[in-house]
Amino acid sequence: MTQISPEAITECLSTVLDREVDTDADIFTAGVDSLAVLRCRALLKERTGIKVPGHVFFEGRTPVRIAELIGAEHAGR
Amino acid sequence: MTDTWHEVIHGDRWTSASTLWVEDGTEYTGAQVGQLASTVEQAIRAHGPARVVSIRSAEKLGCFAGQLGAWRAGCVAVADDHTLSERDFGRVRPDLTIEVRSGPSPSVEAAVAPGPRLPRDRIPEEVVAVNFTSGSTGRRKAVAVTRGNLLALFGCRDLDVLGGRNADAAGRGPVTAGSFATVTYDGWWFDTWRTIATGGRVVCLPHVNDDVFAWPDLVDTYGISRLLLPAAVITTVVEAVPDCIADIPWLFSGGEQFRTSTYRRARQAGLRGRFVNLYGPTEATFATHHYRLPEQFSAPTIPIGRPLEGCWQTLRDPAEGPPDARELAVHGPFVCLGYLEDGALVHRFRDAAGQASYRTGDLVRPDENGDLVFAGRLDGEVKVNGMRVDTAALEQRITTLPRVLDCRVAQDERHTVAFVRTDPAALHDPSARDRIESVVQDFSPAIGVRLVGRYPVKAGGKVDFPTLMDRYRLTEKVEET
C-alpha cells in the first residue's frame, strides 16, 4: 500500500509557500490557494511518484487529514 | 433543413466503428454515440412534439449524444450537467427533460414538464441550442444558437489545425482535440461539435484539480493536437505543471485576457507549441477574433487580433470611455439569433439594416499591424471618489513595469484596489513598490495597491476577486488597529 506522511505534505507545502506549516493546521486559512495545491501535488508526484488528486486537499484541509485520505484512496484500490 | 446539417446529424460517422469520443477511461465508437442518440430521439418522440428539451447528464458524452438525439427530433437541445438553475430553465421553458447516462450501461429517462405546452413557434425553427452568458456583465442571459451559427463555426478554416503531433507538418488524418469545455455557460462546448463535424475525435480531459497528471498520457495515447483552455487555467498550468501541456502542438486560450507574462513563462518552461488567443462574446456562438502568437512576442498586451473567417467587425466611437478606444461590434454568421426569455425569443441581435450584428460593449484599439487590442469594457470604468478611472488602461500600464507579471483592479463598496502580481523578489523590494504606487497614484490617489505572488483562482479557472478583496480588507484592518 502506498502512503504519504503528513510530514511529506508539510515539506512540500513549505517549499511552495516558503514558510513552515503545521501538520494539523488548516492549510487554506494558512494562505494556500488552488495554485499552491497544484504545485504541492506536482512536488509530491516528483518526490514520491504518487499522483494525489486535488479533491483530497480540498476535503482534508490539514496535512494529517490529507495524509489519511490519501491512505484511504489507495487502500480502496 | 440544409443538406450540410442533415449530414452533421445523420452522417456515416454515427455508424462508424472508429473511436469518436474518449471520457473517463472509456472509448466510444461513432456507432455507440449514434445508438445513444437514437435512444434519446425515441424517448423524445414518445412524448409528442416537443420544441425545447433539456438534456441532463453528469457525463459530457451524455450531453453530447443527447443533443444529437434532440436535433434529430427537431428540438432545441439545452445541455445541462446538473448546473443550470431554475431561473435558467425559466428562460428556456423546456417541454421535456431527458436524463442520459453514458458509460458501460447507458440509460435514457424522460420527464415531462408539468402544465400545458407552449406553442411550438415560440422559438424560430432555426434555433437548435442555447448558451448561457456567465452573467459577469450583469444578469445571466439565454442566447439562442442556430443551425447556421454552428455550420459557420464548423466551416471556419481559421480554426483548422493540422492533425498529428507536429504543428508544422502536413496534416495526417483527423484532428484529435482535447476537451476541457464545460457543457453549460461555455460557448467552447460547441468546439467539441466542431471537432466531430469536421471528422475528428474528442478526448475529454479531467479537471486540473482532479487529475491534471493524466493529461500527458492522454495526449500521448490519442495524439491530441489541440486544446482550448481558459486563459487563467493556462496560467496556472504553465506556472505549476507545464509538462502536462508540453506535448500539445496547438493551445487556444480565451475567456479572459491571455497575458504576455504567461506566454513568456510558457516559453521559458520549454513549451514549444503554438498559442492562439481567441476572443468573442457568448452572443457570437464561440469566438469572433483570433490572434496567432508569433514565436517572438514582446508587446505588453497580447492582441485579440482579427475577425475569424466569415466574421467582420465595425468600430464605433463610444460616447464614453478613453478617447482613443473604440467600441467593437461584430457581424456575420457567428452572431446568434437573440435572447430567450420565458421560453420565447424576446430580442434579436441585428443592426438597423436587419443584418446579424452584436455590439459587444468591449473597447478596443487597433495596434500598428491592424490587430485589435482589448482596452476594457464600455461599462468597465469605475468611479473612485467620484472620478472616472479607466481600469483597463491602469492594468495595462502597470503590467508594462519591470518585474510586474499582471495587474487586476477590483472594487467593493469601500475600496478600489490594484492587485499587482510580481516576481517573488519584488514583493519585498521597496523600489518596485514605489514605482508601482506612483503609476497607480497618477490614475487616482484613492486606489490601494497590493503586491501579490499569485492570484487565488476559482474552480473554473478565473481569478477569485472576492477572496482577494477579503484578504485586502483583513490586512487593512490590521493596519488600521
Side-chain angles (χ1 to χ4, degrees):
Chain A
M1 193 197 304
T2 323
Q3 283 287 12
I4 289 182
S5 69
E7 289 72 25
I9 294 165
T10 55
E11 279 164 25
C12 289
L13 284 169
S14 301
T15 308
V16 169
L17 296 176
D18 203 18
R19 61 186 154 79
E20 296 303 308
V21 179
D22 288 337
T23 52
D24 56 357
D26 183 319
I27 61 171
F28 295 101
T29 46
V32 170
D33 57 23
S34 50
L35 180 58
V37 166
L38 186 56
R39 285 202 164 114
C40 185
R41 289 165 58 207
L43 267 181
L44 280 171
K45 176 172 161 280
E46 192 180 303
R47 292 176 184 178
T48 68
I50 299 177
K51 299 172 183 174
V52 180
H55 71 84
V56 163
F57 280 77
F58 298 108
E59 283 161 27
R61 299 191 75 91
T62 69
V64 167
R65 183 83 189 110
I66 292 165
E68 282 172 15
L69 288 176
I70 296 169
E73 285 245 331
H74 283 268
R77 282 187 185 172
Chain B
M1 191 190 298
T2 63
D3 289 348
T4 326
W5 182 253
H6 188 273
E7 208 285 318
V8 168
I9 63 175
H10 293 289
D12 292 346
R13 65 179 67 81
W14 309 117
T15 51
S16 148
S18 311
T19 298
L20 195 77
W21 193 276
V22 181
E23 184 171 0
D24 287 338
T26 307
E27 295 178 358
Y28 300 86
T29 64
Q32 284 174 307
V33 179
Q35 179 54 47
L36 188 54
S38 296
T39 313
V40 170
E41 182 188 357
Q42 285 159 19
I44 293 171
R45 291 191 188 279
H47 289 83
R51 181 67 186 109
V52 180
V53 177
S54 143
I55 305 291
R56 186 176 289 183
S57 180
E59 296 96 22
K60 287 186 183 182
L61 179 62
C63 288
F64 184 85
Q67 277 186 317
L68 177 60
W71 289 344
R72 287 176 177 173
C75 300
V76 179
V78 183
D80 173 27
D81 53 4
H82 297 269
T83 55
L84 291 186
S85 69
E86 282 308 311
R87 294 190 65 172
D88 296 332
F89 288 123
R91 293 188 175 106
V92 294
R93 301 277 301 272
D95 304 306
L96 203 60
T97 297
I98 302 284
E99 189 96 33
V100 184
R101 290 182 65 177
S102 53
S105 42
S107 67
V108 174
E109 280 172 43
V112 181
R117 280 195 181 174
L118 295 173
R120 195 176 158 79
D121 61 2
R122 61 191 163 120
I123 297 175
E125 192 270 337
E126 69 257 44
V127 177
V128 291
V130 172
N131 193 13
F132 292 90
T133 65
S134 69
S136 62
T137 55
R139 219 161 50 92
R140 182 165 277 167
K141 299 190 186 89
V143 176
V145 181
T146 67
R147 275 194 295 268
N149 294 146
L150 296 183
L151 290 176
L153 171 63
F154 302 162
C156 177
R157 283 172 301 179
D158 279 337
L159 293 166
D160 285 347
V161 302
L162 302 171
R165 301 293 297 281
N166 184 336
D168 298 310
R172 288 180 304 274
V175 164
T176 301
S179 171
F180 190 77
T182 54
V183 171
T184 48
Y185 313 124
D186 189 354
W188 286 5
W189 172 250
F190 299 121
D191 181 64
T192 56
W193 273 103
R194 183 180 193 280
T195 301
I196 301 290
T198 53
R201 59 180 179 177
V202 168
V203 176
C204 298
L205 298 183
H207 197 277
V208 174
N209 282 342
D210 294 334
D211 196 4
V212 69
F213 303 122
W215 289 15
D217 279 347
L218 290 167
V219 171
D220 188 48
T221 305
Y222 296 102
I224 291 174
S225 48
R226 71 184 181 94
L227 174 64
L228 275 63
L229 285 176
V233 172
I234 294 191
T235 303
T236 302
V237 172
V238 161
E239 287 189 15
V241 284
D243 289 352
C244 291
I245 51 172
D247 291 333
I248 303 175
W250 290 93
L251 289 159
F252 287 71
S253 170
E256 281 200 353
Q257 217 169 322
F258 185 39
R259 307 274 163 171
T260 306
S261 55
T262 300
Y263 186 58
R264 207 180 295 135
R265 191 137 183 182
R267 290 297 182 229
Q268 283 164 358
L271 299 193
R272 296 268 61 89
R274 299 286 182 80
F275 284 81
V276 181
N277 190 26
L278 291 174
Y279 160 89
T282 306
E283 287 81 354
T285 312
F286 168 80
T288 56
H289 286 65
H290 69 137
Y291 180 79
R292 292 190 176 197
L293 278 110
E295 183 61 36
Q296 298 296 326
F297 181 86
S298 56
T301 310
I302 296 176
I304 60 171
R306 294 158 193 256
L308 287 163
E309 184 193 41
C311 302
W312 67 96
Q313 66 188 32
T314 49
L315 304 179
R316 37 193 301 158
D317 285 323
E320 299 179 32
D324 56 339
R326 317 280 300 278
E327 190 198 350
L328 174 63
V330 291
H331 318 270
F334 287 15
V335 175
C336 299
L337 195 62
Y339 293 126
L340 298 176
E341 194 60 71
D342 205 19
L345 189 75
V346 293
H347 174 85
R348 279 178 185 260
F349 306 135
R350 56 185 172 192
D351 59 19
Q355 299 297 309
S357 167
Y358 179 73
R359 284 176 60 176
T360 63
D362 286 335
L363 296 171
V364 294
R365 293 185 185 94
D367 71 7
E368 66 276 12
N369 300 315
D371 289 308
L372 297 185
V373 177
F374 180 73
R377 289 281 306 163
L378 193 57
D379 49 16
E381 291 197 343
V382 299
K383 278 198 170 180
V384 185
N385 286 356
M387 295 277 290
R388 281 197 169 275
V389 174
D390 180 354
T391 53
L394 169 58
E395 289 175 355
Q396 287 181 6
R397 179 83 179 75
I398 295 289
T399 311
T400 60
L401 295 175
R403 309 176 71 177
V404 170
L405 302 171
D406 205 344
C407 174
R408 307 292 178 95
V409 177
Q411 191 176 42
D412 66 7
E413 55 287 347
R414 281 189 60 207
H415 309 279
T416 308
V417 189
F419 293 96
V420 183
R421 194 161 67 84
T422 66
D423 67 46
L427 286 174
H428 309 291
D429 175 358
S431 68
R433 170 176 282 278
D434 286 349
R435 251 192 324 260
I436 292 164
E437 282 184 339
S438 82
V439 173
V440 174
Q441 296 245 323
D442 279 349
F443 280 82
S444 165
I447 298 178
V449 175
R450 273 286 176 283
L451 306 194
V452 295
R454 64 178 75 100
Y455 296 127
V457 183
K458 288 191 276 193
K462 294 207 170 188
V463 173
D464 185 353
F465 284 111
T467 300
L468 269 175
M469 288 306 283
D470 281 348
R471 287 186 196 161
Y472 180 80
R473 285 187 289 265
L474 269 176
T475 49
E476 275 294 277
K477 262 187 210 141
V478 172
E479 282 171 19
E480 280 168 16
T481 47

